[in-house]
Amino acid sequence: MDYGMMLSKLGGGMVTTVVIFGLTLLFSLPLGMIVAFGRMSKGPLVRNLTKIYISIMRGTPLMLQIMMVYYGPYYLFRIQISSSYRFAAVIIAFAINYAAYFAEIYRGGIESMPRGQYEAAKLLGYTKGQTFLRIILPQVIKRILPSVTNEIITLVKDTSLAMVIAVMEMFTISKALASSSTSAIPYVAAGIFYYIFNYLVAWTMEKIEEKLNYYR
Amino acid sequence: MKLLEMKHIRKNFDGLEVLKDISLTVEQGQVLAIIGPSGSGKSTLLRCAAMLETMDDGEMYYLGEQAVASVDGRSVYAKPSELRRMQGYYGLVFQNFNLFPHFSVLKNIMDAPIHVQKREKKEVESQARALLEKMGLGDKADAYPYQLSGGQQQRVSIARALAMNPKILFFDEPTSALDPELTGEILKVIRDLAAEHMTMVIVTHEMNFARNVADHIIFMEHGVIAWQGASEELYTSNNRRMQEFLGKFE
Ligand SMILES: Nc1ncnc2c1ncn2[C@@H]1O[C@H](COP(=O)(O)OP(=O)(O)O)[C@@H](O)[C@H]1O
Ligand SMILES: [Mg+2]
């Protein structure tokens, strides 16, 4: 097999991996906030349902969740699944899984805010929404950034789990190339790719943390 | 004119009666000091007045407008929109400042006037800078709270409260979190405000300060007002419990 061909296939895999990564963050970061609010809700029904949801997401393998999202519609409702659903299934599974992890991080950050900040805001007449957006959230973001960074780095590696339903991301392709060419080079290439990707992610997060270091 | 009137206030925490039938009035321009041993309910009283705690029973009026009514032995609060308006009548200075750490000093002072009161940014900024000047912090506008001493942070928090143009300012032990050498600067600021006839209610352990700056003093013990009178009478009253309490500050 020629290297040009190999490289172009690996390149395609990289793009898919990066897209899975980007879309997962795009959906799970805000979704996590909604889940966190549900988890902190005063209504016991909402609070307990979100609690169960979070514990399932965190207590079962992500690989199994991907399979459930992909095959579930067929087994449950006998809906024929098209292969175009493959990619959507991966994004849905990743988004709802990571939303659960982010929700717990958000909740921890929000609950760690001192009561005095809410009281000072109340006395100054801020509405609940203003208090959250202007006073609480900016401080929470700074507090939780290290935990969020950990999750995001885990996500880079977790994208390889999309292989379980044969989505053509980096890992799936390098495995196929390695066996068809009986060579370890595609694996090495994949390893280098994940390493560099993670390096860039860590660097970006560090820059963001530095930006937020203007106060303590 | 009565700016604040509280009548027969009761408050319990999990069955523990912290305020037992407290009544007080604050006239415009008056400085009221509240003293008493720790745990006697001073902060709770102030927090009920500032509506950070909800009282169980009793009535409360701001500028004659009813904020809380007593119905069948239970407090009933006015509509949220009315309470919001009345919240604009007062400010509170906390023991531990509670500045917003992610805002600069200037933004701490300007943010609420601009985003809550919807005032013009220019006008707010000139007021904020004048307040900082008055607090002796003219050069700290762009600093962040963590860069300031406790005394400076407390002065910023006073400026932040004043920028809302409150009619009454509450202080809950404004010097208790400070090193002794820094309490003087805060007491001076409050003394200056008193000289400008700012209406204030001050919970304090600084007895001489209370004696010299307040018009009226309330001594609280076990959730009741055990003594009250003109500040000149503080050391001459024959209330034995209070004299024992004052004795600890000699
Ligand atoms: N949020 C609360 N929950 C339960 N008990 C409280 C709370 N706040 C105050 N207390 C209790 O109420 C009593 C009066 O407290 P406080 O008003 O802070 O007194 P002071 O300010 O005079 O020291 C104390 O016994 C205190 O433990
Ligand atoms: Mg207190």
Side-chain angles (χ1 to χ4, degrees):
Chain A
M1 179 180 268
D2 72 293
Y3 287 107
M5 170 85 155
M6 193 184 276
L7 273 179
S8 90
K9 285 198 169 170
L10 284 173
M14 283 181 205
V15 171
T16 309
T17 294
V18 172
V19 170
I20 294 173
F21 171 84
L23 288 178
T24 300
L25 288 185
L26 182 70
F27 293 120
S28 64
L29 285 170
L31 187 60
M33 190 57 80
I34 296 168
V35 176
F37 279 128
R39 181 67 183 77
M40 294 183 291
S41 158
K42 288 202 179 74
L45 182 68
V46 174
R47 190 175 60 238
N48 286 320
L49 283 179
T50 17
K51 202 168 159 183
I52 293 168
Y53 158 70
I54 290 171
S55 87
I56 292 174
M57 288 296 132
R58 302 211 303 176
T60 61
L62 176 51
M63 192 185 280
L64 183 66
Q65 292 166 21
I66 297 169
M67 292 167 70
M68 291 295 279
V69 171
Y70 184 55
Y71 297 114
Y74 176 75
Y75 286 119
L76 290 175
F77 311 111
R78 299 285 148 185
I79 297 169
Q80 279 303 320
I81 38 181
S82 66
S83 59
S84 64
Y85 175 56
R86 240 179 251 281
F87 187 75
V90 161
I91 301 301
I92 292 169
F94 273 93
I96 61 176
N97 176 278
Y98 271 80
Y101 283 91
F102 287 135
E104 285 298 271
I105 293 174
Y106 295 159
R107 181 169 72 97
I110 291 170
E111 288 180 347
S112 77
M113 286 297 295
R115 197 171 56 146
Q117 292 288 301
Y118 290 96
E119 293 186 343
K122 185 175 183 212
L123 278 157
L124 292 167
Y126 289 101
T127 62
K128 284 217 167 82
Q130 284 177 319
T131 301
F132 184 72
L133 292 175
R134 304 191 68 76
I135 311 296
I136 303 300
L137 187 59
Q139 297 184 60
V140 166
I141 289 174
K142 181 181 164 95
R143 279 174 190 228
I144 64 172
L145 211 54
S147 319
V148 170
T149 301
N150 281 340
E151 282 311 318
I152 294 181
I153 285 177
T154 306
L155 172 60
V156 171
K157 294 177 276 184
D158 272 357
T159 52
S160 61
L161 292 172
M163 188 180 74
V164 72
I165 55 170
V167 167
M168 289 296 147
E169 48 69 55
M170 187 66 184
F171 199 76
T172 314
I173 288 178
S174 54
K175 184 166 181 278
L177 287 174
S179 57
S180 68
S181 67
T182 57
S183 146
I185 290 173
Y187 283 139
V188 174
I192 293 171
F193 162 74
Y194 284 114
Y195 184 82
I196 292 174
F197 190 3
N198 254 330
Y199 185 87
L200 291 176
V201 168
W203 181 85
T204 308
M205 296 307 287
E206 206 169 292
K207 287 292 151 206
I208 298 175
E209 272 183 51
E210 274 171 27
K211 258 201 138 61
L212 291 179
N213 265 346
Y214 68 90
Y215 75 93
R216 266 181 243 147
Chain B
M1 177 184 180
K2 286 177 186 161
L3 290 193
L4 168 64
E5 192 172 12
M6 299 176 89
K7 288 183 179 171
H8 308 298
I9 306 299
R10 290 181 183 279
K11 172 71 183 172
N12 83 91
F13 286 114
D14 313 313
L16 174 74
E17 278 218 57
V18 173
L19 299 179
K20 306 165 189 166
D21 195 19
I22 301 269
S23 300
L24 60 83
T25 51
V26 182
E27 298 282 340
Q28 181 149 30
Q30 192 184 26
V31 178
L32 170 66
I34 302 177
I35 60 173
S38 150
S40 57
K42 306 180 299 296
S43 296
T44 306
L45 177 59
L46 215 53
R47 291 168 59 81
C48 282
M51 299 195 237
L52 291 176
E53 303 282 357
T54 50
M55 51 187 95
D56 301 329
D57 188 17
E59 296 172 48
M60 183 159 72
Y61 301 82
Y62 274 101
L63 284 72
E65 298 172 41
Q66 189 158 34
V68 185
S70 172
V71 179
D72 299 330
R74 296 211 60 80
S75 281
V76 178
Y77 281 74
K79 284 194 304 225
S81 60
E82 290 175 30
L83 292 179
R84 268 189 84 73
R85 179 165 42 76
M86 289 184 238
Q87 264 172 12
Y89 296 156
Y90 56 83
L92 188 149
V93 174
F94 296 90
Q95 187 174 332
N96 56 350
F97 334 130
N98 289 329
L99 291 175
F100 302 130
H102 58 308
F103 286 169
S104 70
V105 163
L106 196 63
K107 195 166 167 65
N108 261 282
I109 300 172
M110 291 174 56
D111 199 69
I114 292 173
H115 291 101
V116 174
Q117 295 179 327
K118 312 283 181 203
R119 283 157 55 193
E120 198 62 44
K121 183 166 183 260
K122 262 200 181 139
E123 174 253 328
V124 173
E125 178 163 353
S126 65
Q127 185 194 10
R129 288 194 186 277
L131 281 168
L132 280 175
E133 216 49 66
K134 189 168 151 188
M135 299 288 153
L137 295 170
D139 55 339
K140 298 291 185 195
D142 298 320
Y144 282 85
Y146 80 93
Q147 297 166 318
L148 305 180
S149 73
Q152 291 171 329
Q153 290 189 48
Q154 189 59 299
R155 280 180 279 158
V156 173
S157 91
I158 295 172
R160 179 176 71 175
L162 288 172
M164 301 295 283
N165 300 321
K167 299 190 186 303
I168 306 186
L169 202 46
F170 299 122
F171 293 82
D172 191 2
E173 299 195 27
T175 61
S176 293
L178 303 178
D179 294 335
E181 68 269 23
L182 297 179
T183 59
E185 61 189 53
I186 301 304
L187 298 183
K188 181 182 178 303
V189 166
I190 300 174
R191 197 172 285 131
D192 291 349
L193 289 171
E196 294 165 21
H197 307 292
M198 181 77 205
T199 310
M200 293 183 281
V201 179
I202 308 166
V203 172
T204 183
H205 283 300
E206 303 286 335
M207 294 308 141
N208 287 323
F209 171 76
R211 164 74 181 73
N212 294 327
V213 175
D215 304 299
H216 194 82
I217 296 179
I218 284 179
F219 170 64
M220 278 185 75
E221 194 177 42
H222 303 308
V224 299
I225 296 180
W227 178 86
Q228 60 179 316
S231 54
E232 299 81 37
E233 300 162 21
L234 181 64
Y235 292 109
T236 54
S237 94
N238 50 17
N239 183 297
R240 200 173 55 82
R241 293 292 302 126
M242 188 170 73
Q243 292 311 330
E244 271 175 34
F245 171 72
L246 290 174
K248 294 184 188 134
F249 291 87
E250 302 274 280

